[in-house]
Amino acid sequence: MLKNRIIPCLDVKNGRVVKGINFVELKDAGDPVEQAKIYSDGGADEICFLDITASNENRDTIIDIVRKTAKECFVPLTVGGGVRTIQNITDLLLAGADKVSINTAAVKDVSFLKEASKKFGTQCIVVAIDAKKVSDNKWEVFTHGGRNKTGIDAVEFAKQVETNGAGEILLTSMDRDGTKSGYDVELLKVITDSTNIPVIASGGVGTLDHLYDGIVKGGASAVLAASIFHYGEYKIKEAKEYLNSKNVSVRL
Amino acid sequence: MNVTIVDYQSGNISSVINSFTEVAKGKVNLEVTSDTKKIKSSDKIVLPGQGSFKSCVDSLNKIKGLVDTLKEFAIINKKPLLGICVGLQMFADVGYEEAETKGLGWISGKVSKINNQSGKFKLPHIGWNEIEIQKESKIFKDIKNKSHMYFVHSYEFIPNDKSVISATTDYSSKIVCSVEKDNLFGTQFHPEKSDKTGLKIIDNFIKL
């Protein structure tokens, strides 16, 4: 039976791990390579790096981090943030990433996904959708870490990225990100019901129950969290044991 | 001993290189090449594969003499070869991803899309799944039944001769996830991404 995945995410800025509250007020807390190794030794099913400054700054730092991490961690590694061109993807994959997560570039031109998936395979193309609730049962896609409104309906967009070659969707609720109040389960449910590719839940985890909700109520194939693991509130193993005790199958 | 990872310019093989480098440290010589001379003089070959069946077969065929060299190595000289993911799938006679494409024809069978029971099972099959060992395989030495391996694929290899199947995994049906036929080994899962258990499988192959 396929197991539900737990994915710790490391937000990286200038080569250091940070996690912001609603993407502001960044706290500096650690070396990404070392952190990734701790997670992978602790049973993380995948590791995710999000380069949160990639849009404006030099990308070589993240490439170097990916290269070092890939030599030490033998679980899948996803890298996102500022992935806009085929060359960006090539560079990250050559450095040792297994998947890249594409956000703004997919919103700007969804056919970029077609090109990317044709060249590298759908298995390594994750589309990161940042969505914000705009009215009852309606969510809109945002870009640039939640700063830019796009007017695009999140559900429609999710269907489109699937058709265009995304292998997975990384769905972040911008309303919940950094709040520790739990995933937006309604949003998750509507997206997992309207697509046939795996969805990774993100944004808002504060307790282990939230992970349970993301999988069981939201239908997510994987749950991503940053701060609850990063600040040591819970170990990956504790999260897995908790889910297992509630009959959610995980890799123990 | 020389182990060669065949780099035929298809998909991302960094993880395969990293994991074999880690396991091979100080034990064997590792080459990453498509040079047919070097392949001929190797003791073991790893054939990775990412992307579609068609794109991988096309890429193999683009390199002059590569398919014949691999065939001579694996089928005539019967030296150990490990196919990973699409690398395994290409052992088949035919694949149906993108378009009907002729495979290497080393293990009779076909590669078709996983029956996801009308959307009940999401595709690709991504993540950690348990393997059910069907027969003893040299690459499973010290690997427990029901070990978790990392999968990413939407197509499955269906061999005609079921006796080649060394492990299956459960995803909508029993999917063939490992084969062994004489000197030919293949895994649908990614040992290079399957943590310590995966590295053990790589170690078993290197130590053959």
Side-chain angles (χ1 to χ4, degrees):
Chain A
M1 182 184 189
L2 184 65
K3 302 303 159 86
N4 297 285
R5 286 169 282 157
I6 295 189
I7 308 175
C9 180
L10 296 163
D11 289 2
V12 179
K13 186 182 184 183
N14 299 330
R16 302 283 293 172
V17 176
V18 287
K19 177 63 196 175
I21 308 296
N22 278 332
F23 289 131
V24 257
E25 290 301 316
L26 301 173
K27 291 183 201 169
D28 190 329
D31 165 29
V33 182
E34 199 185 322
Q35 286 288 331
K37 179 85 174 111
I38 291 169
Y39 283 148
S40 101
D41 287 347
D45 294 313
E46 295 184 22
I47 308 278
C48 180
F49 282 141
L50 182 61
D51 189 3
I52 52 174
T53 53
S55 322
N56 329 326
E57 291 167 35
N58 195 322
R59 293 189 57 80
D60 294 349
T61 331
I62 192 75
I63 301 271
D64 189 46
I65 290 167
V66 169
R67 189 171 294 121
K68 286 181 186 150
T69 307
K71 285 189 170 53
E72 293 192 36
C73 296
F74 301 97
V75 298
L77 177 61
T78 303
V79 185
V83 180
R84 286 156 204 276
T85 63
I86 294 292
Q87 189 59 50
N88 290 155
I89 302 177
T90 307
D91 292 345
L92 287 167
L93 295 181
L94 281 178
D98 297 288
K99 313 182 208 181
V100 292
S101 141
I102 303 171
N103 178 290
T104 308
V107 177
K108 269 193 182 153
D109 177 13
V110 81
S111 70
F112 174 61
L113 300 176
K114 227 173 217 163
E115 194 190 345
S117 61
K118 190 149 176 56
K119 187 162 170 66
F120 305 104
T122 56
Q123 86 290 335
C124 69
I125 305 299
V126 179
V127 174
I129 302 179
D130 293 348
K132 217 179 223 177
K133 193 165 187 171
V134 285
S135 61
D136 272 356
N137 297 314
K138 203 161 168 54
W139 291 266
E140 194 178 312
V141 175
F142 278 69
T143 60
H144 298 86
R147 292 193 297 274
N148 298 6
K149 212 171 140 70
T150 65
I152 298 168
D153 180 73
V155 179
E156 287 311 310
F157 185 62
K159 290 183 194 162
Q160 252 185 36
V161 304
E162 176 179 359
T163 324
N164 280 276
E168 278 177 289
I169 290 171
L170 168 55
L171 181 64
T172 304
S173 158
M174 302 307 298
D175 302 304
R176 300 300 180 91
D177 202 66
T179 65
K180 301 202 162 206
S181 58
Y183 296 120
D184 184 341
V185 170
E186 270 186 343
L187 166 68
L188 263 176
K189 182 86 179 110
V190 63
I191 301 276
T192 54
D193 283 348
S194 25
T195 53
N196 290 310
I197 51 176
V199 175
I200 304 163
S202 157
V205 176
T207 70
L208 300 181
D209 260 328
H210 294 153
L211 301 175
Y212 175 88
D213 291 346
I215 294 165
V216 176
K217 298 183 186 161
S221 304
V223 283
L224 181 139
S227 41
I228 63 158
F229 298 129
H230 189 57
Y231 293 115
E233 285 159 53
Y234 298 101
K235 292 206 162 66
I236 306 268
K237 193 161 176 274
E238 286 174 289
K240 287 190 161 183
E241 280 166 355
Y242 177 79
L243 290 172
N244 188 53
S245 75
K246 297 192 76 173
N247 292 320
V248 174
S249 62
V250 288
R251 175 180 69 116
L252 283 173
Chain B
M1 177 165 42
N2 292 307
V3 176
T4 299
I5 297 171
V6 185
D7 179 9
Y8 55 102
Q9 307 297 315
S10 180
N12 171 29
I13 61 167
S14 310
S15 290
V16 175
I17 299 171
N18 280 330
S19 59
F20 273 81
T21 306
E22 171 75 14
V23 176
K25 254 190 254 170
K27 291 182 206 158
V28 296
N29 248 333
L30 195 62
E31 284 268 9
V32 181
T33 183
S34 64
D35 182 337
T36 51
K37 268 193 218 120
K38 283 189 179 154
I39 292 174
K40 273 180 195 164
S41 66
S42 316
D43 300 294
K44 282 176 192 139
I45 281 188
V46 183
L47 184 63
Q50 268 205 356
S52 74
F53 187 94
K54 183 175 185 306
S55 68
C56 286
V57 170
D58 287 349
S59 302
L60 271 189
N61 285 326
K62 255 186 219 155
I63 299 169
K64 201 169 167 276
L66 183 57
V67 169
D68 287 340
T69 304
L70 291 174
K71 191 175 172 186
E72 185 187 307
F73 183 95
I75 305 299
I76 300 168
N77 296 333
K78 294 205 171 298
K79 291 204 268 181
L81 182 143
L82 172 67
I84 299 174
C85 197
V86 185
L88 150 73
Q89 293 181 358
M90 288 192 295
F91 292 177
D93 301 312
V94 61
Y96 295 98
E97 191 172 2
E98 276 189 70
E100 186 174 325
T101 308
K102 206 168 166 265
L104 295 166
W106 294 348
I107 298 182
S108 168
K110 63 177 181 180
V111 175
S112 25
K113 194 158 192 174
I114 296 170
N115 176 0
N116 72 340
Q117 301 176 19
S118 314
K120 205 176 140 208
F121 290 84
K122 300 217 164 198
L123 289 181
H125 170 219
I126 297 186
W128 297 82
N129 208 334
E130 288 168 352
I131 60 163
E132 287 164 38
I133 296 178
Q134 303 295 333
K135 69 166 182 181
E136 248 180 64
S137 174
K138 289 173 195 135
I139 59 170
F140 289 158
K141 187 173 176 284
D142 298 327
I143 299 289
K144 287 195 190 105
N145 191 29
K146 305 258 178 196
S147 288
H148 287 99
M149 300 294 171
Y150 190 80
F151 289 83
V152 191
H153 65 126
S154 300
Y155 285 75
E156 59 173 326
F157 176 39
I158 305 170
N160 293 331
D161 174 7
K162 304 298 176 206
S163 75
V164 301
I165 300 169
S166 51
T168 56
T169 193
D170 198 1
Y171 194 66
S172 87
S173 64
K174 300 269 182 211
I175 289 172
V176 174
C177 70
S178 177
V179 299
E180 176 177 335
K181 186 190 173 189
D182 307 324
N183 56 309
L184 285 179
F185 300 85
T187 63
Q188 178 60 63
F189 55 81
H190 291 268
E192 77 277 14
K193 287 281 109 185
S194 297
D195 216 345
K196 291 178 189 76
T197 342
L199 295 183
K200 179 65 193 156
I201 289 180
I202 292 172
D203 188 51
N204 287 339
F205 178 71
I206 283 180
K207 283 187 181 149
L208 278 179

